[in-house]
Amino acid sequence: MKFNVKKPASLLLVLSMLVLALSACGSSDKGASGDAGADSKTDTGGSAPAAESVKLKFYAQYSDPDKAVYDAAAEAMKKVMPEVSVDFEVSAQDDEQKIKTYAAAGSLPDIFYASSGLIETLKKSDNLATMDDVIKENNLEDKLNESAKPMMWNKDGHSYAVPNVGQWAGLIYYNKELFSQNNVKVPANYDEFLEAVKAFNAKKITPLEVFAKEKWPAVLLLDMAVVGSEPGGLKKLDNGEGTFSDEAYVKGAQKLEELTKAGLISKNAFNTTADDAAAQFSSGKAAMYMNGAWSMSNLDSLMGDKVGILYTPLADADKVDQVKWNLSGGGFNQGFAVSKNSKNKDVAVKYAALFSLEFAKQRVILLSDPNSILAEKVTPVKGLSPIQQQYADDSVNFKTMTTFAWGYENAKFKTAVEDNTQKLLAGQSAGDFVKDMNKALETARK
Amino acid sequence: MTSRQKYNLALLVFTVSTLLFFTVIVMIPIFQTFQKSFFDWDGLTPATFIGLDNYKRLLTDDDFWVSLKNGLIFAFVLVVYQMGLGTILAIALSNKSIRGRKFFKTSYFIPVVLSGVVVSQLWISIYNADGGLLNSIFSLLGIEYQQAWLSGEHTSIWAIAFTNAWQNMGVQLVLIYTAIKSIPEHLYEAAKIDGAPFWKTHWKITIPLLGETYKFCLIIAITGGLNAFQNMFVMTNGGPGNISYTLTFMMYKAAFRSGEYGYGSAASAILVIECLLFTILINKLVARERISY
């Protein structure tokens, strides 16, 4: 009898493909720390012995310029916890979607960078491990300077992330050469800022380079216009206090409307990325540039002494002396957090907490951060540039800070203010902005 | 087992496996989307049933109406540009007296194989408000018409839709060209003997006989327009504000930026219904009779 193998073989192939495909669709059973303990043969069950080697998955912004800092901190940690090795996964710049998807799928990395907004979200879903015990056992609070100590604790009294970097203010950088060449006064208040915008616009120089393809820079600009009258800035609204009809917010929106009409930003601002904006500013095509204080290092390398910084140029002239140290930017309890479901939770918590301080130290050494959070005196390899030195000197005077948009805890408020502030910068009237935002605020607070 | 039984078994295995794939990958997610649209859910914590509240909220949400309008504009641009130009070019390319037809066919299809991100970046520079190609052409022609194409309230969605239409016109062109090539030659010969002019020949013979192809082209153009996402994500990130939102972008904002998966699901459900409605309407109204030669 002749046995025809072709048909059964085809059927087998089809069925095996089906099984493979369906198994690929199925969820992994690795749990919250897929790579955790990859080197160890047994499940450590949250209390791995110190001698046993542990591999932790670490989701963070492991890219330039921070990559060297992560590497140096990981190297230093080998002396403190030699049994632990980390496998970095580069975080996506995606409004924290990927990390939230990990959380929804129950596969959070062991350690990950968490903003204060993400901490609030993951707290609600019980995904975060607390660091209270490790902080106390290792006296970590004593290792922070006084200004950094409050950053350790969440408003609920627990710590979910040891701070890894100091508070960064939102700044307006200016090109000193362009200002002097065009005889424009460096603005110290809103009236002077408006004059500068008009002067540069008349000379066909972009007054302020804003990378508004990202949503948060527009929010920072509005926050800067508000903090001159309300030190709580937009964060106060995020906290559930007040409305956009309050005088400070109406006035802030009106300032942005007036500045937009005067030609504040480039017509391409909404398609401009951060790199494009920095290139435009450093090449002298824009007089000012808005970003966080973390850009000082990069701008200094691009422009040297030509760049200067402004803190509150959108404050009213008659109030500027009282409010000049009420700044936009900053952040709260944010840093490296640990998944509550990590198979190596205890090891991960200790590692993340100690790594955070080592990371802060390495940032000062390698990137010349002028806002060290450490009590210990750390010296940068390259020293401080003039603007970094100025920031370091001024930072002792800082009275209040708000937060950047990613620090808002109410996600609905965050997306509404991001979208509507972009519209305001695109030419929407302040009245319509206030109306739209009040409506959005009602929805966000339900 | 008889050969008939073997045939039926093979038929069953192939059909069931395909249906299973379709169910797992398409039907179950759609069902879950509809189900979740009745819940207040952040994607992480347990969902709360809220009935039709998400749908009621959609009706009062400016984002929704802007998204709906933009989706229709997007679909309109795809239909007019891709099918209109696709037809003209396909007729031209099917004319044997035109030289270099192969070269043109390949050229028109090249944008289709390019990455959407690359094409979007290319058109971002063309639309650049300061010295972009488009504004420069207007300047060269002495026309004082300088636009911020991608950030203007009335230009943004049209500019983005055109980018997509330009990139994918080649697909429609190939479909229409293939359909034209399958029209029997004797119909054209008869028209020629009767003295019908070139355009009248195509108006009376080619276009009516393309009915079934047009039906398919319309469905992919309209559903493609309503589902558009990639171009606005790369070119404007939906902005400024919400001016270049479509329903897919609104769903993305609600689910992934605001953490409102229930509300995002309601936007998705409307999108699915919208696409289904258009597909049913096109099937009902276009080329109802099957064309056979």
Side-chain angles (χ1 to χ4, degrees), chain B residues 23-241:
Chain B
T23 308
V24 170
I25 294 164
V26 180
M27 293 313 291
I28 292 176
I30 288 180
F31 173 76
Q32 284 180 327
T33 301
F34 275 89
Q35 184 211 12
K36 292 293 182 204
S37 71
F38 300 108
F39 286 83
D40 179 14
W41 185 44
D42 64 3
L44 292 169
T45 50
T48 314
F49 182 75
I50 53 168
L52 290 171
D53 283 5
N54 283 330
Y55 291 94
K56 286 179 195 161
R57 190 177 144 201
L58 274 179
L59 298 177
T60 59
D61 191 339
D62 183 45
D63 285 355
F64 174 70
W65 294 108
V66 170
S67 304
L68 204 63
K69 187 188 83 184
N70 283 346
L72 294 172
I73 290 174
F74 211 110
F76 173 76
V77 173
L78 295 198
V79 168
V80 171
Y81 182 85
Q82 294 185 339
M83 291 179 64
L85 193 64
T87 303
I88 294 168
L89 291 175
I91 289 173
L93 290 173
S94 61
N95 187 338
K96 285 173 187 161
S97 62
I98 289 180
R99 283 187 171 191
R101 288 183 303 146
K102 260 191 179 174
F103 168 76
F104 286 118
K105 257 189 288 176
T106 313
S107 305
Y108 293 134
F109 200 76
I110 283 175
V112 178
V113 297
L114 294 177
S115 139
V117 176
V118 171
V119 170
S120 297
Q121 290 293 349
L122 171 79
W123 280 89
I124 286 174
S125 13
I126 292 174
Y127 290 135
N128 191 306
D130 301 319
L133 182 68
L134 201 52
N135 280 347
S136 301
I137 290 172
F138 283 120
S139 292
L140 279 174
L141 296 172
I143 301 168
E144 286 292 318
Y145 187 70
Q146 300 293 299
Q147 292 288 317
W149 297 97
L150 290 173
S151 44
E153 193 177 349
H154 303 294
T155 54
S156 181
I157 192 66
W158 294 90
I160 298 167
F162 184 79
T163 303
N164 188 294
W166 176 84
Q167 186 187 5
N168 296 310
M169 190 272 290
V171 175
Q172 306 266 16
L173 169 67
V174 167
L175 288 170
I176 297 167
Y177 175 79
T178 314
I180 290 176
K181 295 303 278 181
S182 68
I183 297 173
E185 200 64 30
H186 68 260
L187 296 174
Y188 293 107
E189 283 164 9
K192 203 174 178 182
I193 291 164
D194 289 344
F198 177 79
W199 287 113
K200 198 163 187 180
T201 305
H202 288 296
W203 186 251
K204 294 285 182 185
I205 299 173
T206 312
I207 292 176
L209 291 177
L210 288 177
E212 283 186 35
T213 307
Y214 277 149
K215 185 198 277 189
F216 180 64
C217 288
L218 258 179
I219 290 172
I220 56 171
I222 289 178
T223 54
L226 297 174
N227 280 315
F229 177 81
Q230 186 188 31
N231 295 103
M232 43 275 286
F233 187 75
V234 176
M235 297 174 84
T236 61
N237 202 9

Side-chain angles (χ1 to χ4, degrees), chain A residues 11 14 18 21 95 97 103-104 121 124-125 213 215 267-268 270-271 411-412 415 418-419 422-423 439 443, chain B residues 14 21 43-44 57 60 62 128-130 150-151 234-235 237 240-242 245 252-253 256-258 260:
Chain A
L11 287 176
V14 170
L18 192 66
D95 268 338
Q97 290 164 39
T121 306
K124 266 192 235 164
S125 55
K213 191 170 182 181
K215 304 266 184 183
K267 284 177 184 168
N268 288 315
F270 299 103
N271 319 112
K412 292 180 206 170
T415 48
E418 283 177 340
D419 279 358
Q422 267 198 337
K423 275 174 142 177
K439 190 180 164 195
T443 309
Chain B
F14 284 112
F21 270 128
L44 292 169
R57 190 177 144 201
T60 59
D62 183 45
N128 191 306
D130 301 319
L150 290 173
S151 44
V234 176
M235 297 174 84
N237 202 9
N242 62 0
Y245 271 29
Y252 160 78
K253 174 199 167 182
F256 299 111
R257 285 175 57 209
S258 301
E260 297 180 279

Side-chain angles (χ1 to χ4, degrees), chain A residues 27-28 49 52 56 85 116 129 139 148 205 264 271 279 289 310 317 363 374:
Chain A
S27 65
S28 159
E52 194 176 347
L56 301 173
S85 61
S116 43
N139 297 319
I205 295 169
L264 176 71
N271 319 112
Y289 167 68
L310 302 169
R363 270 201 65 107
L374 302 170

Side-chain angles (χ1 to χ4, degrees), chain A residues 22-71:
Chain A
L22 288 177
S23 61
C25 291
S27 65
S28 159
D29 202 22
K30 281 181 183 168
S33 59
D35 285 342
D39 288 349
S40 59
K41 301 270 184 200
T42 53
D43 181 357
T44 51
S47 55
E52 194 176 347
S53 73
V54 174
K55 192 168 193 175
L56 301 173
K57 193 170 175 183
F58 198 142
Y59 181 83
Q61 206 165 341
Y62 184 64
S63 55
D64 287 333
D66 282 333
K67 191 169 178 284
V69 178
Y70 279 102
D71 287 337

